[in-house]
Amino acid sequence: MMNQDTKVNSLDAKLSMAHIYVAFIALVLGGTAGLLQTLVRSGQFILPAGIGYYQLLTVHGVLLGLVLTTFFIIGFLFAGLSKTSGTLSNRIRFYGWVGFWLMTFGTALTASAILTGKASVLYTFYAPLMAHPTFYIGLALVVVGSWVSGFAMFIHFAKWKKLNPGQASPLLSYMAIATMILWLIATLGVAATVLIQYIPWSLGLVDTIDVLISRTLFWYFGHPLVYFWLLPAYMAWYVIIPKIIGGKIFSDSLARLSFVLFLLFSIPVGFHHQLTEPGIAPSWKYLQVVLTFLVIIPSLMTAFSMFATFEMYGRSKGATGLFGWFRKLPWGDARFFAPFMGMLIFIPAGAGGIINASHQLNQVVHNTIWVTGHFHLTVATTVLLTFFGIAYWLIPHLTGRIMTKAMNKLAIVQTIVWVIGMTFMSSAMHFAGLLGAPRRSAFSTYGDSAQALEWIPYQIAQAIGGTILFIGIILIIVIVANLAFFAPKGETEFPIGEVEEAAEKTPMILENWKLWVGIIIALILVAYTVPFIEMIQHAPPGSKGFSN
Ligand code: HAS
Ligand code: CU
């Protein structure tokens, strides 16, 4: 079984670190683009050297939303699997490298299309905006690379199962596999639209594209994408944080059940991104809204579980009163503090999501910068601060170094800077959105209309927040570079929590992947089959492409 003290094998560590380097390079470049965007939108700044606003916005979304996340997650999952279900075999590690290079090459191809100004189509690349074919081919390679890595992980996990028949798998490995299953099923949608629709169309092999179908396939992927970002953060919350604070995992079964629920309900909900889209019957939108509300449940379970872990730990340290435990938490430890601030921000962030999902309310916020505010709280704060919290122990563990007290202090400052910057930027986005300020658009006073002039103070607040966040990016890069290259040599723990002793034994049905995948497929068919048939039957003439 798992040995608490084993280090991740050094060859596995290299594979994992390669992913993490790319992730942080993407963070610097994407973050710089973000700073410039907020400056443009304040109305006080004009981009130099012929750089386009939408070109910049594409760099930002693709590098941060797609590259940073996917690379960091795959690097983290490989390390987690190697730690909890044994060193990777040479063959698995080889597949891991094949996946890494495919993804890296794909990223370079996509980036070259964007940087040469031939793909200013944003990270959602909505048709009929048309990019250069290399943009789509690069993205397809990123997806294929991630599949190779995903299958490598499945084979590694299957080997563990074979060697340990009838045993519940290590929790962290279980969660890694659930996350990759989610990713695999979700990416089928984006692979389909890119391979069948976008690539032939951008190559000029066909003249037109069916916009509604392309968007529907995109959001079939685009929603579970956000849970692909969230689940690794939840892995850290459930498994790593209890160990860091010196407490216990509240319940192994509850943690696994929440991951199963994410698998079931996170895919058949893409319509909540298309609630204002014509061509989909309201009854099908309604069904997917109901399913969206079901996928809120595992997050509420997670919130409950985290509170329970914190409270149990605090009381074991003699805390009394309703909130006495709060003071016992290790506030000075950045490995705890950064993810904790992520959790705290997830309370308003999740509430915003529930507003978005509420069919009628969506009409107020859709396509406004409110939505941008929503996802800067969820992915750019909750998820990212948790990833930073992971980096604070994972990088030194993998590079054989330790985090010094000074770096820990800097990481606490980094967290505070990030939360302040994001509070400014994201609150301003939410408010401006309620006043109708559009998302995905450069600065304009719309002919000095009274309404557009109302947005300007909020846009200046966004630029102030963006500037503070950029300081946060500089700080995290200093910390990461230190942990990777300059920190003193030494042993750093890979923290893995243990389950509270009184907890029930894990029911083996939670390991029954065939059952869960079967139910997912059934749910997807229920949610999508009829709408797809209707889209095809009632398809309007296809659209020609627009490019700049
Ligand atoms: Fe979302 C749009 C609905 C969660 C990301 N979302 C987006 C987009 C992104 C995104 C990127 O229904 C824009 C896509 C685009 O470019 O167009 N979202 C939801 C709902 C949830 C949700 C219902 N979103 C996320 C997460 C994301 C993310 C997570 C990234 C990681 N979202 C929508 C909808 C839209 C949308 C619509 C489309 C809008 C439109 O019109 O375009 C839910 O999953 C949220 C559930 C979460 C909770 C919070 C639980 C709280 C926890 C913390 C506990 C705290 C503790 C610490 C323990 C209910 C777990 C506290 C301790 C103390 C002491 C206080
Ligand atoms: Cu969604």
Side-chain angles (χ1 to χ4, degrees), residues 15 87 99 165 236 274 290 367 391:
L15 174 64
T87 297
Q274 300 176 279
V290 172
N367 277 343

Side-chain angles (χ1 to χ4, degrees), residues 383-434:
V383 169
L384 200 60
L385 280 181
T386 304
F387 287 1
F388 291 168
I390 293 171
Y392 297 152
W393 53 264
L394 183 61
I395 297 179
H397 177 91
L398 297 176
T399 56
R401 297 177 189 274
I402 50 170
M403 191 178 200
T404 58
K405 280 215 171 77
M407 278 302 135
N408 181 65
K409 216 176 239 160
L410 198 59
I412 301 266
V413 173
Q414 200 285 336
T415 309
I416 295 169
V417 167
W418 200 265
V419 171
I420 293 175
M422 208 51 100
T423 304
F424 264 98
M425 192 179 84
S426 185
S427 311
M429 287 173 165
H430 278 89
F431 283 116
L434 290 180

Side-chain angles (χ1 to χ4, degrees), residues 123 219 227 272-273 299 326 353 356-357 362 366 374-375 378 439:
Y123 87 111
W219 286 117
Y227 290 116
H272 71 224
H273 294 265
S299 280
F326 190 76
N356 298 346
N362 185 267
H366 184 66
H374 163 69
F375 67 72
T378 50
R439 66 179 287 203

Side-chain angles (χ1 to χ4, degrees), residues 316-338:
S316 77
K317 292 282 163 218
T320 53
L322 198 52
F323 291 111
W325 49 268
F326 190 76
R327 288 216 303 267
K328 301 282 179 191
L329 295 170
W331 297 108
D333 186 341
R335 299 172 307 160
F336 164 75
F337 184 62

Side-chain angles (χ1 to χ4, degrees), residues 60-134:
H60 181 72
V62 169
L63 284 185
L64 298 181
L66 305 177
V67 177
L68 159 71
T69 48
T70 312
F71 276 84
F72 186 89
I73 290 167
I74 292 185
F76 173 47
L77 298 192
F78 268 129
L81 281 163
S82 169
K83 166 80 184 170
T84 58
S85 13
T87 297
L88 308 179
S89 69
N90 287 337
R91 187 170 61 116
I92 298 295
R93 203 179 302 116
F94 173 74
Y95 289 140
W97 281 111
V98 172
F100 171 80
W101 284 113
L102 279 171
M103 283 171 44
T104 305
F105 182 64
T107 300
L109 217 56
T110 297
S112 67
I114 305 171
L115 295 177
T116 50
K118 291 181 181 143
S120 300
V121 293
L122 312 192
Y123 87 111
T124 41
F125 52 90
Y126 271 6
L129 284 178
M130 184 159 75
H132 192 268
T134 48

Side-chain angles (χ1 to χ4, degrees), residues 17 139 205 228 319:
M17 278 307 295
L139 286 183
L205 302 177
F228 173 69

Side-chain angles (χ1 to χ4, degrees), residues 174 260 264 509-520:
Y174 176 93
V260 166
L264 298 188
I509 189 165
L510 291 169
E511 296 265 350
N512 192 339
W513 297 113
K514 283 192 190 121
L515 172 71
W516 303 124
V517 171
I519 300 177
I520 302 167

